[in-house]
């Protein structure tokens, strides 16, 4: 774990609490999936929490976030109420997207959280466009775009990086390199496995970061956001790992148990707890209190989702296009 | 012995790889992972990485590469995980595969087979649940197949591999786990004709893919009410089997199209128009259609169910066409 420059106790505790919230929220999701309350695909962020928590802490509320189908972590770290995210997973109208999207499509316009994109690479041009709008409207905002290392094989990644660089747009591209795209290891998919090197090929600053170390992530994100704020894109390659299957189930024949155990030993939560305590920023009492608070927050989220209501089937064709004023023909 | 639709797809791949030395399979996670719907599980061990090729997440490139390899003399079978992601390869499929023969004045062809999963019903929401086979059926130069039975899952692919032009095969996600006995008498299928899956006298349901099973279920329920429904499995969505349409309408004089695609500008519009063009005078009632509601597929089960044709809504639509609504 990196040294803790400028990290204070309250910030350390907040980072810990946010990661713990994601962890406990998703552990509950697994149970609820088993109970049939959550259906469809459910992609867990287990192991990768430091990335979303560290990066999003470096943002201001007016900045924008674009994420993938593996976005519970980003949603919670962005401050979407856990109850609304859980209600979305339940398909309830009180959910972040009114229940229409489910786990892969969490949106929150108020918080500039632009999903929830389940086409690999599909969010990347969107992020560049959001940044273009900010630039054209002279708003000082930055857009952060998360995607997996599998997405760098898509043309949209390359086309978007080029455009962002060519037009000097304020985007921070965050590649969550968890080593596997479903069952394909990076070196099975890529001739050049250094993602940061690809970005440099488009003439933008790029850094490789230890994505299991939330403090390192936060520091790198602050540098990146500063670059973007000045009007240039940059890329962070987060070296991280998903502890579980790609979605709820896969045979995981593509990696061995020992590898998973090696990465589990670097669990971002235990790592922060350990260094935090070593530096006198965290203590057992604070960690235990965080555990209690997070458990309560998750319990409340589930209760909120349970209480939620189902949209009546007569509403089926709502939200396809915006309502039109009655003077115009449909 | 019972087999699943998934196993039939795999047996079909094996037949292709065994009989055609130029055939190979490529797609995302088809090799080590065994395919996102486990269709190619185990094939890597049998045929090796040259013939069972994992590709990066680069749909446009690897579909285009399949087209080029076909032009170059190979017989590629390209798997795209689902039709939703095939949109990234649309340019290659339409601007290259479908037009090459014509543009080159008949000199070149692209005998590539492109397989993909299609359809809704698993609560996968708006980017993973669509049915684009009807859309592809709009394109001259392509042959579009929709295997709905075990026999078609088993034998359409080997037949497709012998075609001189691009063929797309749409496997409905709901069918993979269907099990049954494979008819031992069937050793090959044609890629031309629609099939009558149930004989009836009062109404013809024209459908394909997952719609076949749902329509058969509806037909059983209607039989108890004295309505005798014929179920036509289109099988080949392009080119459509006009003769089969005329044939069934002459028997029943009433038509209901059941299509998991959207209604506006879709395959159902084409089918109803064709029936009118081909045998309007045979009709005793206006043809009707039941399609997916015009909404991206929503995540919650009750809304997804409401969006799609279901046996109960098919039966209700059938009653209306027969004046029993
Ligand atoms: C265009 C497209 N192709 C394929 C898929 C199927 N798919 C979903 S996630 C995934 C793996 C993506 O891996 P990566 O980008 O590394 O992200 P991770 O899942 O590891 O977070 C694949 C192949 C898809 N959703 N979209």
């Amino acid at each position: 774990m990196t040294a803790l420059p400028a990290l204070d106790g309250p910030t350390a505790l907040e980072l810990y609490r946010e990661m713990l919230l994601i962890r406990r929220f998703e552990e509950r999701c697994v149970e609820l999936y088993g109970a049939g309350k959550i259906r469809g695909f459910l992609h867990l962020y287990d192991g990768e929490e430091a990335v979303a928590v560290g990066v999003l802490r470096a943002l201001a509320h007016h900045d924008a976030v674009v994420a993938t189908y593996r976005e519970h972590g980003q949603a919670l770290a962005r401050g979407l109420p856990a109850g609304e995210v859980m209600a979305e997973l339940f398909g309830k109208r009180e959910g972040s997207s009114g229940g229409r999207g489910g786990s892969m499509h969490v949106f929150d316009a108020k918080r500039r959280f632009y999903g929830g994109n389940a086409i690999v690479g599909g969010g990347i041009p969107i992020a560049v466009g959001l940044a273009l709008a900010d630039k054209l409207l002279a708003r000082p905002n930055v857009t952060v775009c998360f995607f997996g290392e599998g997405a760098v094989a898509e043309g949209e990644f390359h086309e978007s990086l080029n455009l962002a660089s060519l037009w000097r747009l304020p985007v921070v591209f965050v590649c969550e390199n968890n080593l596997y795209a479903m069952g394909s290891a990076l070196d099975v998919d890529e001739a050049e496995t250094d993602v940061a090197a690809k970005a440099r090929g488009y003439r933008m600053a790029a850094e490789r970061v230890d994505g299991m170390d939330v403090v390192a992530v936060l520091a790198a994100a602050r540098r990146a956001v500063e670059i973007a704020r000045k009007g240039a894109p940059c890329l962070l390659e987060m070296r991280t790992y998903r502890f579980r299957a790609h979605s709820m189930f896969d045979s995981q024949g593509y990696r061995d148990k020992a590898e998973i155990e090696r990465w589990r030993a670097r669990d971002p939560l235990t790592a922060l707890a350990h260094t935090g305590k070593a530096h006198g920023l965290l203590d057992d009492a604070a960690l235990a209190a965080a555990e209690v608070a997070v458990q309560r927050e998750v319990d409340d989220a589930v209760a909120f989702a349970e209480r939620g209501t189902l949209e009546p089937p007569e509403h089926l064709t709502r939200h396809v296009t915006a309502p039109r004023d009655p003077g115009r023909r449909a | 012995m019972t087999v699943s639709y998934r196993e039939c797809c795999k047996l079909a791949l094996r037949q292709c790889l065994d009989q055609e030395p130029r055939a190979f399979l490529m797609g995302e996670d088809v090799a080590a992972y065994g395919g996102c719907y486990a269709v190619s599980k185990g094939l890597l061990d049998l045929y090796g990485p040259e013939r069972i090729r994992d590709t990066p997440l680069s749909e446009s490139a690897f579909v285009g590469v399949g087209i080029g390899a076909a032009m170059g003399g190979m017989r590629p079978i390209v798997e795209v995980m689902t039709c939703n992601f095939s949109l990234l390869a649309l340019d290659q499929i339409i601007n290259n595969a479908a037009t090459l023969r014509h543009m080159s004045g008949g000199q070149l062809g692209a005998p590539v087979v492109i397989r993909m999963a299609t359809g809704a019903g698993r609560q996968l929401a708006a980017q993973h649940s669509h049915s684009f086979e009807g859309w592809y059926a709009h394109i001259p130069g392509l042959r579009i197949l929709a295997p709905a039975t075990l026999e078609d899952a088993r034998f359409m692919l080997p037949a497709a591999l012998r075609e001189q032009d691009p063929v797309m095969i749409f496997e409905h996600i709901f069918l993979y786990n269907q099990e049954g006995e494979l008819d031992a008498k069937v050793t090959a299928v044609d890629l031309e004709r629609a099939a009558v899956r149930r004989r009836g006298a009062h109404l013809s349901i024209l459908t394909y893919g997952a719609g076949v099973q749902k329509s058969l279920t509806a037909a059983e329920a209607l039989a108890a009410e004295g309505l005798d429904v014929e179920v036509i499995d289109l099988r080949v969505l392009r080119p459509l089997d006009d003769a089969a349409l005329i044939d069934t309408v002459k028997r029943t004089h009433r038509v209901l199209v059941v299509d998991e695609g959207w209604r506006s500008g879709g395959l159902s519009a084409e089918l109803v128009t064709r029936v009118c063009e081909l045998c309007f005078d045979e009709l005793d009632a206006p043809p009707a259609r039941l399609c997916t509601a015009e909404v991206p597929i929503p995540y919650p089960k009750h809304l997804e169910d409401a969006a799609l044709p279901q046996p109960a809504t098919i039966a209700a639509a059938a009653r209306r066409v027969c004046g029993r609504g």
Side-chain angles (χ1 to χ4, degrees), chain B residues 3-16:
Chain B
V3 286
S4 67
Y5 182 97
R6 171 183 289 106
E7 285 159 341
C8 289
C9 294
K10 182 189 294 190
L11 289 168
L13 280 168
R14 292 196 57 180
Q15 181 182 345
C16 293

Side-chain angles (χ1 to χ4, degrees), chain A residues 89 100 118 153-154 184 311, chain B residues 29 33 57-59 127 299 302:
Chain A
L89 273 51
R100 293 285 177 137
E154 296 283 4
S184 295
E311 234 181 319
Chain B
D29 277 323
Y33 199 77
L57 307 192
S58 314
E59 287 81 5
Q127 292 182 332
Y299 162 69
H302 69 296

Side-chain angles (χ1 to χ4, degrees), chain B residues 130-287:
Chain B
H130 290 144
S131 295
F132 292 124
E133 53 276 3
W135 241 33
Y136 283 107
H138 180 63
I139 311 298
L142 303 177
R143 183 171 295 267
I144 308 298
L145 309 179
T149 62
L150 297 177
E151 288 73 23
D152 276 347
R154 171 66 185 83
F155 294 110
M156 272 184 163
L157 175 65
L161 201 71
R162 287 190 292 274
E163 289 289 318
Q164 299 303 303
D165 290 301
V167 180
M168 298 181 74
I169 305 182
F170 292 85
E171 298 159 9
H172 198 288
I173 54 169
F174 226 79
L175 297 176
Y176 283 123
N177 289 332
Q178 296 270 320
E179 294 193 342
E181 295 283 330
L182 198 55
D183 185 344
K185 293 188 299 298
V186 180
T187 54
V189 297
D190 72 88
L191 302 184
E192 318 290 335
R193 287 193 293 278
V196 182
R197 299 295 180 208
R198 185 185 197 282
R199 283 272 174 198
H202 299 145
L203 164 75
S204 300
I205 294 183
L206 311 180
T207 187
Y208 67 92
V212 174
Q213 201 53 52
K214 286 180 174 177
S215 299
L216 288 169
T217 307
E220 286 311 312
L222 292 165
E225 302 168 17
L227 262 188
D228 188 17
V229 174
E230 178 147 309
V231 177
I232 304 292
D233 173 3
L234 296 166
R235 299 180 65 248
V236 185
L237 307 186
R238 184 184 187 95
L240 285 167
D241 180 358
D242 286 346
L245 301 183
I246 298 170
D247 195 50
T248 186
V249 175
K250 279 189 170 161
R251 262 197 304 280
T252 65
H253 310 287
R254 289 171 198 267
V255 167
L256 170 67
V257 177
V258 174
D259 180 8
E260 205 178 300
W262 291 298
R263 193 173 71 139
S264 298
L267 190 64
S268 66
E270 175 61 28
L271 285 160
V272 169
T273 308
R274 262 185 207 235
V275 164
C276 292
E277 288 169 346
L278 294 168
C279 46
F280 187 77
D281 293 342
E282 293 287 340
L283 289 169
D284 286 347

Side-chain angles (χ1 to χ4, degrees), chain A residues 38-41 88-91 99-102 104-105 117-120 150-151 153-154 156 181-184 188-189 246 250-251 254 310-313 316-318 320, chain B residues 28-29 32-33 35-37 41 54-60 81 84-85 88 122-128 293-304 306-308:
Chain A
I38 300 173
R39 303 290 300 274
F41 287 150
E88 187 58 37
L89 273 51
F90 276 51
R100 293 285 177 137
M104 298 196 286
H105 306 297
N117 197 306
I119 300 299
V120 169
E154 296 283 4
E156 286 178 331
M182 280 182 65
S184 295
V188 172
D189 274 358
H246 167 74
D250 70 30
S251 62
Y254 49 85
L310 294 176
E311 234 181 319
L316 176 62
T317 55
R318 285 193 177 179
V320 179
Chain B
E28 291 163 9
D29 277 323
Y33 199 77
C36 64
Y37 287 99
K41 217 175 185 71
D54 273 331
T55 64
L57 307 192
S58 314
E59 287 81 5
S60 184
M81 286 183 165
N84 305 281
F85 318 146
L88 280 80
R122 298 221 174 278
Q123 287 194 255
L124 301 183
Q127 292 182 332
H128 277 69
E294 305 234 345
V295 56
I297 302 294
Y299 162 69
K301 178 161 172 46
H302 69 296
L303 293 183
E304 180 178 49
L308 302 172

